[in-house]
Amino acid sequence: MKRTATTVLLAAGLVAASAALASSAEKNQAKAQPLVSFPASELQWRELPGTGGIKVADVRGSITGKGPYDAFVIFPAGKDNPYHMHTQNLPTVVLKGTFYADIDGKRIRYPAGSFYNLPARMPHYSGCEKGEDCLLFQYQADHFDLVPVEKK
């Protein structure tokens, strides 16, 4: 009986300690993450020089800077990228239009509502199919890069 009572008290103490830690962690997490809010009317668009009309609106960091970023990207309809790769994974959500990636000679189409996570150092062509501009949302843990690759 004494052993059962000790076990129950120990379990109750662990549950209480766990609840206190969880509550403390939730409070710290809430403090560490401020509200990020960008209604479409407040996005600040800029054209990237030398890209043939690609526009970006940064919501965290800068797609052209150093460090992590989140950004909306408008890719003109019919615009193609040269053969290239990126030095880190490139997660992308397609919100409008149909974006594509040609990998190993195979074209993969990503219509609005699609997601892809292009692995680092994977050579490919990409672009927005004709008809409608593509609106993308991209994010990375570090800066964006586009490294030209010679076609084999």
Side-chain angles (χ1 to χ4, degrees), residues 69-99:
Y69 74 89
D70 302 323
F72 288 96
V73 179
I74 294 176
F75 218 88
K79 170 81 175 132
D80 301 307
N81 277 324
Y83 198 56
H84 68 282
M85 68 172 189
H86 306 280
T87 58
Q88 60 182 322
N89 294 350
L90 181 57
T92 301
V93 178
V94 180
L95 301 168
K96 179 181 166 190
T98 300
F99 205 71

Side-chain angles (χ1 to χ4, degrees), residues 2 8 13 20 25 28 45 68 89 100 102 108 128 130 134 145 147:
K2 199 176 207 183
V8 168
N28 287 338
W45 292 94
N89 294 350
Y100 73 85
D102 286 349
I108 305 167
C128 182
K130 294 179 180 176
C134 291
D145 61 4
V147 181

Side-chain angles (χ1 to χ4, degrees), residues 38 40 46 62 72 78 91 93 97 104 110 121 135 140 143:
F38 282 93
R46 61 189 165 94
S62 173
F72 288 96
V93 178
D104 293 329
Y110 300 100
R121 305 197 183 288
L135 175 61
Q140 291 178 289
H143 68 284

Side-chain angles (χ1 to χ4, degrees), residues 2-135:
K2 199 176 207 183
R3 188 174 194 183
T4 302
T6 301
T7 302
V8 168
L9 285 175
L10 182 58
L14 288 173
V15 168
S18 177
L21 284 173
S23 176
S24 175
E26 287 172 6
K27 287 178 186 174
N28 287 338
Q29 188 176 18
K31 290 178 190 173
Q33 296 183 2
L35 171 67
V36 176
S37 176
F38 282 93
S41 63
E42 294 179 18
L43 292 175
Q44 295 181 7
W45 292 94
R46 61 189 165 94
E47 187 169 330
L48 296 176
T51 63
I54 296 173
K55 297 177 184 172
V56 298
D58 297 310
V59 295
R60 177 181 63 126
S62 173
I63 196 169
T64 57
K66 301 283 185 210
Y69 74 89
D70 302 323
F72 288 96
V73 179
I74 294 176
F75 218 88
K79 170 81 175 132
D80 301 307
N81 277 324
Y83 198 56
H84 68 282
M85 68 172 189
H86 306 280
T87 58
Q88 60 182 322
N89 294 350
L90 181 57
T92 301
V93 178
V94 180
L95 301 168
K96 179 181 166 190
T98 300
F99 205 71
Y100 73 85
D102 286 349
I103 302 168
D104 293 329
K106 181 181 176 193
R107 178 163 288 198
I108 305 167
R109 289 176 173 81
Y110 300 100
S114 299
F115 169 82
Y116 65 89
N117 186 10
L118 192 65
R121 305 197 183 288
M122 177 175 279
H124 63 283
Y125 291 99
S126 63
C128 182
E129 293 194 341
K130 294 179 180 176
E132 180 178 31
D133 289 350
C134 291
L135 175 61

